[in-house]
Amino acid sequence: MSGIIGRKIGMTSVYGADGRNVACTVIEAGPCVITQVKNEETDGYNAVQLAYGERKEKRTPQALLGHFKKADTTPKSKVVEFRDFRLEFEGGIELGKEVSVQDVFEEGDFLDVKGVSKGKGFQGVVKRHGFGGVGQATHGQHNRLRAPGSIGAASYPARVFKGMKMAGQTGNKSVKVTNLKVMKILADENLILVSGSVPGAKNSYLILEK
Amino acid sequence: MSELIIKKVEELVNADAKQHPDFKSGDTVNVHVRISEGGKERIQQFQGTVIQRKGKGTNGETFTVRKVSNGIGIERIFPFLSPNLDKIEVLKRGKVRRAKLYYLRGRQGKSARIKEKI
């Protein structure tokens, strides 16, 4: 699996080759720096660690400063490990090498995008799970409009089953959307346009995987 | 910041889009549309009055052309930047007082005419 780290910019639309107008998300992807190369002998598995985004030196812990210094780069804000990173590079995968979006993806490729969805706070079942609420609004109904209804039977099983859909924290969790198409790559601006929407707010970090 | 980047992206994406002449609602246009059927491509023409243009300045701009065929009003919506639009010919410039000519829908015959701009 190869990939790259990016930042969500926003959405627009693009006309495909067949003349259809496709909604797509603009992502600033890379350039990332290879900060660590793991291999079978020393670490037990093959992986490549990429770093993306600038970070103030005085806001970086000493341990991380040393880690970035090893790769001969400035401190970065987001570090992600990609297992079994496949990339045909000139000179192969090397510490300190820069990875750009056009090294990993081509137009027409399909990719997965991982991000942290927008947080909605503690929400009821109507918003969180799409429940319909209970009954009618009139005919003496009171207080039950957005209620979950029954959550189980009585003396048997005498408990509430695990995983019962209830109210709780909504959003602000890791979400992956799969099979998005690369509509366009603007290499000069480090931008990539993928079809459809991706999780998270503007400027939030995204992990693009192939 | 991100709005600026998106503006730039839209400019870059539409850089090789076809240039069409400027027209407004009220104008009579002849739209040449590329249609592919069963692997073959042909061009279909649609001639009528522009009754609206929507979403100007965005990627999704559309315009609606209305014509009356055999007594039945037909409206077709075209995406302005679509690569399937081969050509737009402006045949007549109309003199109208509003941007959306929805009032044409309820009219026929003499009252549905639009004065020509000279």
Side-chain angles (χ1 to χ4, degrees):
Chain A
M1 177 186 73
S2 43
I4 201 162
I5 314 167
R7 185 170 69 93
K8 180 167 168 180
I9 301 290
M11 291 191 74
T12 180
S13 63
V14 162
Y15 286 95
D18 54 350
R20 275 171 181 265
N21 198 0
V22 183
C24 50
T25 311
V26 183
I27 300 168
E28 188 191 83
C32 296
V33 179
I34 297 177
T35 46
Q36 197 178 0
V37 181
K38 295 191 174 179
N39 56 37
E40 204 97 34
E41 290 109 58
T42 53
D43 308 283
Y45 63 98
N46 290 316
V48 165
Q49 190 189 71
L50 297 181
Y52 166 79
E54 287 311 310
R55 177 177 187 162
K56 276 185 186 164
E57 201 170 322
K58 68 172 181 184
R59 291 231 176 270
T60 314
Q62 286 293 322
L64 266 180
L65 270 179
H67 184 67
F68 290 123
K69 209 172 176 186
K70 247 191 230 169
D72 198 20
T73 175
T74 52
K76 304 284 183 205
S77 55
K78 183 80 177 169
V79 177
V80 177
E81 190 175 287
F82 292 87
R83 264 186 107 129
D84 297 321
F85 198 81
R86 284 190 299 269
L87 193 60
E88 280 78 46
F89 243 162
E90 325 155 14
I93 294 162
E94 238 172 72
L95 208 62
K97 252 214 162 119
E98 216 167 66
V99 181
S100 306
V101 61
Q102 71 268 28
D103 297 330
V104 187
F105 299 109
E106 270 174 41
E107 273 172 35
D109 278 357
F110 287 92
L111 52 78
D112 302 344
V113 178
K114 207 163 103 182
V116 178
S117 62
K118 278 185 184 173
K120 310 279 182 203
F122 192 102
Q123 294 296 333
V125 289
V126 174
K127 193 185 189 84
R128 191 171 186 223
H129 298 296
F131 282 18
V134 167
Q136 294 168 303
T138 57
H139 289 296
Q141 284 273 35
H142 176 59
N143 269 350
R144 304 283 299 154
L145 214 54
R146 296 176 72 89
S150 167
I151 56 167
S155 56
Y156 182 78
R159 64 191 175 92
V160 175
F161 290 124
K162 274 188 177 174
M164 181 64 59
K165 287 178 179 171
M166 290 195 184
Q169 164 70 31
T170 307
N172 193 19
K173 61 171 189 182
S174 184
V175 177
K176 188 196 252 183
V177 279
T178 55
N179 276 334
L180 302 178
K181 196 176 179 189
V182 179
M183 301 303 291
K184 218 159 192 93
I185 291 176
L186 304 168
D188 297 338
E189 272 87 20
N190 291 314
L191 294 173
I192 180 169
L193 274 68
V194 299
S195 66
S197 53
V198 302
K202 281 178 192 171
N203 291 323
S204 61
Y205 291 116
L206 297 169
I207 299 166
L208 284 66
E209 296 170 346
K210 190 159 85 172
Chain B
M1 185 62 205
S2 36
E3 279 77 23
L4 286 176
I5 299 175
I6 291 208
K7 266 259 156 68
K8 201 171 175 191
V9 168
E10 283 175 355
E11 266 170 33
L12 286 170
V13 166
N14 296 328
D16 49 353
K18 263 213 177 83
Q19 296 295 316
H20 294 302
D22 194 41
F23 59 87
K24 284 179 178 159
S25 45
D27 296 353
T28 305
V29 293
N30 191 7
V31 186
H32 297 240
V33 199
R34 222 176 276 135
I35 291 173
S36 56
E37 283 172 329
K40 260 197 254 171
E41 218 181 57
R42 64 186 181 85
I43 283 177
Q44 192 185 61
Q45 296 186 18
F46 191 89
Q47 188 177 324
T49 320
V50 179
I51 63 164
Q52 67 171 344
R53 281 187 80 166
K54 261 188 172 171
K56 236 180 175 179
T58 67
N59 249 2
E61 185 185 348
T62 59
F63 62 96
T64 306
V65 180
R66 179 184 169 85
K67 76 169 178 184
V68 178
S69 171
N70 296 330
I72 298 166
I74 297 172
E75 284 177 18
R76 218 170 141 178
I77 304 168
F78 299 100
F80 187 66
L81 293 167
S82 167
N84 283 350
L85 284 190
D86 191 52
K87 192 165 69 172
I88 302 173
E89 286 175 291
V90 182
L91 305 176
K92 247 193 268 177
R93 302 267 176 197
K95 188 177 169 191
V96 288
R97 300 175 85 159
R98 33 189 83 19
K100 314 274 195 250
L101 309 179
Y102 301 141
Y103 67 85
L104 286 179
R105 286 173 179 164
R107 297 191 188 184
Q108 46 179 313
K110 259 188 181 178
S111 64
R113 286 174 305 175
I114 290 173
K115 255 189 204 162
E116 195 172 349
K117 212 190 237 172
I118 310 156

